[in-house]
Amino acid sequence: MSNSKKTTASKSAKLSPIVNREEQIKVTEQALVNVPVEMVPFSQLALSPLNVRKAEPDPVKLQELADTIKAVGVLHNLIVHRLPEGQLGAAAGGRRFRALNILLVAGAIAPDYAVPVKIVGDDVAEVISAIENLQTESMHPADQIMSFARISASGKTAAEIGAAMGYSTKHVQKFLRLAGMAPALLAELAEDNINVDQLVALSASEDHERQQNTWKNAYGIYKTPKELRNEVLRGEVAAVGNRLLEFVGRDVYEQAGGGFRYDLFTDEGFISDTVLLQTLTRQKLTEIAVGIAQAEGWSWSEGRSEGVTTYGEDAELYLLLGQPNPAFTDEQSTRMAELGRQLDELSEQDDGDDADHAALEQAADACQAEMDGIEGAAKIRAWSDDVRARGGVVVSLLRGELSVRRGIMKRCDLPETERDGNNSGVTPHLSSTRTENSTPEVSPAKTLSAVLAKSLSSERTLAVQAALAEQPQMALVIFVHDCLKSTFNHRSYTASTLKVTLHAKTGLMLDNAPTSADGLAMQHLTAMHDAWLKLLPEDWHKSWDWLLTWDTQQLINVMGYCLAKTLDGASERLSDKDGKAGKDLEPVEALLNFTLRDWWLPTKANFFGRISKEQIADSLLDAGLSGASRDVLKMKKGDAAERAEEDITHTRWVPDCMLPVIAPSALPESDLVTVTDAETPSETTGIAA
């Protein structure tokens, strides 16, 4: 409990900056300057309900104050106001009132003992009480919350309360919001069983039952403000960074009747009507798709938030044709050749010591933009009239960017005789156009060194370890499955009693891939390690008695973390069939719905600096960065690796050798082909392999 109190005090100090102590004194003096001091019998006084200090004062200090009053009398007047019962309530001077009551009970003073007071109206009594308390001992956060709420109810704004009581407006606004928390949690705050930061985290939800259940079920590291907020907001859709909201626009969403719910953490809020937002997104995409279809002569169009895929229900409904080779006009071919020569000349000029690099780069960008525009138009022109007359265009969002996919056939529109058994969808009229399922020409794979293969598979392992450690239930599933295989597999002749040996592989992965030491996966693993270590008692390894006090869920969580670190997917060569680094990790990744793109990015140190310049160019091309791919071939190896690292950070691309063959986290094939159909160069930015 002492730790909780200490935390509360420190957080309260951090969240309660005093604006100006002298200003507080000035405000107090101005409010009382014309109020005369009157002497009233102590029996006429009572403790006012407006007195902001609800926490009991230190009994030792209170007795010291009583002894002082007994010796020299009441040196400072009390601030009182008239109560409905006819008594005078002490709004400021509660400690003096309590000290006098001690003396009365002890027989040291009589009920008619004269006490100096100033009588004020109810409207200023509580403000004066708060200011006086601030000038003595720091007011408890629970008292602040209730005080601010009562003053606010009288009609004063947060700014007025802050100005009068010496707090910032933002601090008052935060504490006013906390006044609406579940009463049980406010009682916990008053008892120092929860601190202000934890209460603020729980206030992200306005549901009192959800607040209380989240706090009741939290323990250990899950009582940190971050974990509490994540849990209480589970299922909420944040407005910040929401790709649909950015596409539609906040104004359009609000004008259509959509709203936001706000909390103390963000000005962006949470989307209250996700269905409306999805409807507006689809409407806008549909309008764009209709415009493209009409301009280019497609027979149908559709707008949808996700692109058409080559698996699942989409595979049964649609046939995706591959992009035909660009059809350049003679004029375009001549212009492309001319622009290519200009780029070569600009590159040669840029090598000069006296070159104006900024101007040359700007000219090169203009040339490249024009080339991309010509190439995009040529790709659109390449679609035959036959395909356009029967096919359609789908416009969707790819990581928040507009994605246009042309050449999609509805299978229901194809005659039965033209639907072959292998789902190729090739018809007599479309036989010259390859489908998305046809096998493209594949250039000979460029092999990776054993050291790099081990490094990449180790990087992938660390990422999966971190993801698995965050889902202890899944770690337990895998562990139990291994136990069942060992116990019930008739080929296993090992009869042992709990001879399980755990060897953490994280250190080995770091040895294989030193560049991962500062990566996101190690940051997560280190944070979890430190958090669990803090929960272990002194000499924890000497006995398991202390573990008997932990509940089942906590035991599962710590076991899940330990088991996750035993995962080992490192290998010195790529898998023979698929050319994958860390192939054995795929079942675990599928179980976790794991996406490596969320955990790892290729850099010069961990990837680009360790492959050839041609492989760097291929990687950039694979990521949809055709301009950068051409550029790096003209650079030195080190410069090319740095350029690749810089450009690739704007995408979610990772090498194909680190992605599972088939997994929900992989990008749909249709999205990959979309890059070739983009109308503008900007649509190719950020495409992942």
Side-chain angles (χ1 to χ4, degrees):
M1 189 65 69
S2 58
N3 290 338
S4 176
K5 291 183 179 180
K6 183 177 181 181
T7 303
T8 302
S10 63
K11 296 300 182 183
S12 174
K14 185 179 81 169
L15 291 172
S16 311
I18 302 302
V19 175
N20 191 317
R21 186 70 69 183
E22 294 180 359
E23 182 67 22
Q24 291 178 329
I25 297 173
K26 181 179 178 181
V27 170
T28 307
E29 291 176 346
Q30 289 176 347
L32 301 174
V33 65
N34 295 321
V35 181
V37 176
E38 302 179 37
M39 303 300 292
V40 300
F42 178 68
S43 60
Q44 193 177 342
L45 299 179
L47 193 61
S48 169
L50 298 182
N51 190 297
V52 299
R53 187 178 295 278
K54 304 303 179 185
E56 290 295 326
D58 187 316
V60 175
K61 292 182 179 180
L62 191 60
Q63 184 60 54
E64 291 175 352
L65 178 59
D67 294 340
T68 300
I69 292 175
K70 180 180 179 181
V72 299
V74 180
L75 299 180
H76 301 286
N77 61 269
L78 283 65
I79 309 299
V80 300
H81 66 107
R82 299 193 184 280
L83 299 175
E85 300 83 2
Q87 288 184 294
L88 296 174
R95 294 178 68 250
R96 277 162 283 169
F97 175 85
R98 289 180 174 89
L100 285 166
N101 196 55
I102 290 175
L103 295 176
L104 179 66
V105 172
I109 64 173
D112 60 353
Y113 182 86
V115 180
V117 302
K118 283 192 174 187
I119 304 175
V120 299
D122 294 354
D123 57 338
V124 296
E126 186 168 19
V127 174
I128 295 298
S129 170
I131 293 174
E132 183 177 273
N133 276 295
L134 286 169
Q135 293 172 2
T136 53
E137 299 178 16
S138 296
M139 199 193 313
H140 192 280
D143 293 341
Q144 291 182 51
I145 292 170
M146 293 299 100
S147 172
F148 293 167
R150 284 192 295 270
I151 299 175
S152 175
S154 70
K156 293 188 181 296
T157 66
E160 290 172 336
I161 296 172
M165 298 177 63
Y167 286 105
S168 69
T169 301
K170 185 175 182 181
H171 173 75
V172 176
Q173 289 172 335
K174 280 189 175 183
F175 273 45
L176 283 175
R177 170 64 191 272
L178 293 179
M181 293 289 290
L185 292 177
L186 292 176
E188 292 278 301
L189 178 66
E191 295 295 326
D192 289 330
N193 294 328
I194 188 173
N195 64 42
V196 173
D197 278 2
Q198 291 169 324
L199 202 64
V200 169
L202 291 170
S203 73
S205 171
E206 296 178 349
D207 186 332
H208 284 186
E209 184 177 358
R210 190 177 183 88
Q211 293 171 357
Q212 291 178 260
N213 288 339
T214 300
W215 175 248
K216 189 182 299 182
N217 295 327
Y219 54 87
I221 60 173
Y222 297 102
K223 280 193 172 183
T224 63
K226 179 182 177 182
E227 294 294 341
L228 289 172
R229 185 169 188 267
N230 289 343
E231 181 61 28
V232 83
L233 287 177
R234 191 180 296 277
E236 293 272 7
V237 179
V240 60
N242 185 277
R243 62 188 182 91
L244 301 187
L245 185 63
E246 291 174 353
F247 176 69
V248 170
R250 291 180 71 99
D251 292 342
V252 174
Y253 168 69
E254 289 182 300
Q255 289 170 7
F260 298 93
R261 188 184 65 74
Y262 298 91
D263 67 4
L264 295 175
F265 287 84
T266 174
D267 295 330
E268 299 291 332
F270 297 88
I271 298 167
S272 60
D273 195 339
T274 56
V275 175
L276 173 62
L277 181 58
Q278 292 170 352
T279 301
L280 294 173
T281 300
R282 188 170 60 255
Q283 289 174 351
K284 185 174 181 179
L285 291 170
T286 299
E287 291 173 1
I288 296 172
V290 169
I292 293 174
Q294 291 177 347
E296 298 177 9
W298 296 97
S299 67
W300 60 271
S301 62
E302 183 180 350
R304 46 191 278 177
S305 57
E306 302 292 341
V308 178
T309 66
T310 56
Y311 52 84
E313 184 180 357
D314 280 353
E316 298 177 3
L317 298 176
Y318 302 104
L319 175 68
L320 278 65
L321 303 182
Q323 169 69 51
N325 295 324
F328 294 99
T329 64
D330 292 341
E331 182 180 352
Q332 287 177 330
S333 297
T334 301
R335 182 56 180 164
M336 287 287 282
E338 181 181 344
L339 289 170
R341 287 191 295 271
Q342 289 182 20
L343 279 176
D344 292 338
E345 292 173 2
L346 291 170
S347 178
E348 292 177 4
Q349 295 175 29
D350 195 41
D351 292 334
D353 296 333
D354 300 330
D356 185 346
H357 300 291
L360 291 171
E361 183 177 358
Q362 185 176 5
D365 289 342
C367 286
Q368 187 61 58
E370 186 177 351
M371 292 179 71
D372 290 340
I374 294 173
E375 185 175 3
K379 288 178 177 178
I380 295 174
R381 183 183 300 106
W383 293 105
S384 67
D385 293 338
D386 180 36
V387 171
R388 293 177 196 242
R390 304 174 65 178
V393 57
V394 171
V395 177
S396 60
L397 289 179
L398 177 63
R399 291 189 298 278
E401 298 293 330
L402 201 64
S403 172
V404 181
R405 180 63 174 91
R406 299 171 174 83
I408 304 178
M409 311 296 291
K410 292 181 179 179
R411 292 188 182 274
C412 62
D413 292 341
L414 298 176
E416 288 291 338
T417 56
E418 297 180 354
R419 302 176 195 171
D420 56 30
N422 62 6
N423 290 327
S424 68
V426 179
T427 74
H429 300 288
L430 304 175
S431 57
S432 61
T433 305
R434 66 183 180 87
T435 67
E436 195 63 26
N437 292 330
S438 59
T439 304
E441 294 183 7
V442 180
S443 57
K446 299 179 177 65
T447 58
L448 302 179
S449 67
V451 175
L452 180 54
K454 181 188 287 186
S455 176
L456 292 178
S457 57
S458 298
E459 295 259 16
R460 184 175 176 181
T461 299
L462 285 171
V464 181
Q465 279 188 1
L468 183 59
E470 292 183 345
Q471 299 187 48
Q473 192 73 25
M474 297 307 179
L476 182 61
V477 167
I478 297 171
F479 178 62
V480 170
H481 184 251
D482 286 343
C483 291
L484 292 173
K485 287 192 296 184
S486 174
T487 303
F488 296 101
N489 189 340
H490 68 279
R491 296 177 182 175
S492 175
Y493 299 101
T494 303
S496 59
T497 303
L498 296 180
K499 292 182 180 179
V500 178
T501 303
L502 299 181
H503 296 289
K505 301 296 183 180
T506 302
L508 178 61
M509 299 304 109
L510 283 172
D511 291 340
N512 296 340
T515 55
S516 64
D518 298 323
L520 182 61
M522 279 308 303
Q523 292 176 25
H524 278 247
L525 288 169
T526 301
M528 284 186 279
H529 187 88
D530 293 343
W532 281 115
L533 192 60
K534 289 179 181 178
L535 297 179
L536 303 184
E538 187 177 357
D539 296 331
W540 60 269
H541 55 284
K542 294 182 179 180
S543 169
W544 56 56
D545 292 346
W546 57 276
L547 278 172
L548 299 176
T549 64
W550 284 25
D551 60 36
T552 302
Q553 187 59 52
Q554 197 169 13
L555 291 172
I556 291 174
N557 290 345
V558 71
M559 181 173 67
Y561 167 72
C562 297
L563 291 173
K565 298 193 70 173
T566 68
L567 195 65
D568 186 357
S571 58
E572 291 192 355
R573 61 191 182 95
L574 305 183
S575 58
D576 294 333
K577 182 179 179 181
D578 306 310
K580 302 294 183 182
K583 172 74 173 177
D584 293 342
L585 297 169
E586 290 188 13
V588 182
E589 292 175 343
L591 180 67
L592 300 177
N593 196 22
F594 172 87
T595 303
L596 184 62
R597 297 179 179 90
D598 294 337
W599 292 91
W600 185 83
L601 273 178
T603 64
K604 176 182 179 181
N606 65 25
F607 185 67
F608 294 117
R610 305 167 70 176
I611 59 178
S612 68
K613 190 163 65 174
E614 289 73 20
Q615 287 174 304
I616 295 175
D618 290 344
S619 298
L620 291 170
L621 184 62
D622 200 25
L625 303 174
S626 56
S629 176
R630 290 189 290 267
D631 291 344
V632 297
L633 291 174
K634 304 171 186 176
M635 299 177 178
K636 295 180 180 179
K637 167 68 180 300
D639 295 338
E642 290 180 2
R643 169 68 183 274
E645 176 180 344
E646 179 181 353
D647 288 358
I648 217 73
T649 56
H650 302 299
T651 76
R652 282 168 55 81
W653 182 88
V654 296
D656 181 69
C657 65
M658 297 180 72
L659 294 174
V661 177
I662 298 176
S665 59
L667 285 180
E669 258 185 273
S670 58
D671 285 338
L672 300 182
V673 180
T674 299
V675 178
T676 64
D677 296 341
E679 285 202 271
T680 63
S682 63
E683 292 179 20
T684 65
T685 303
I687 305 302

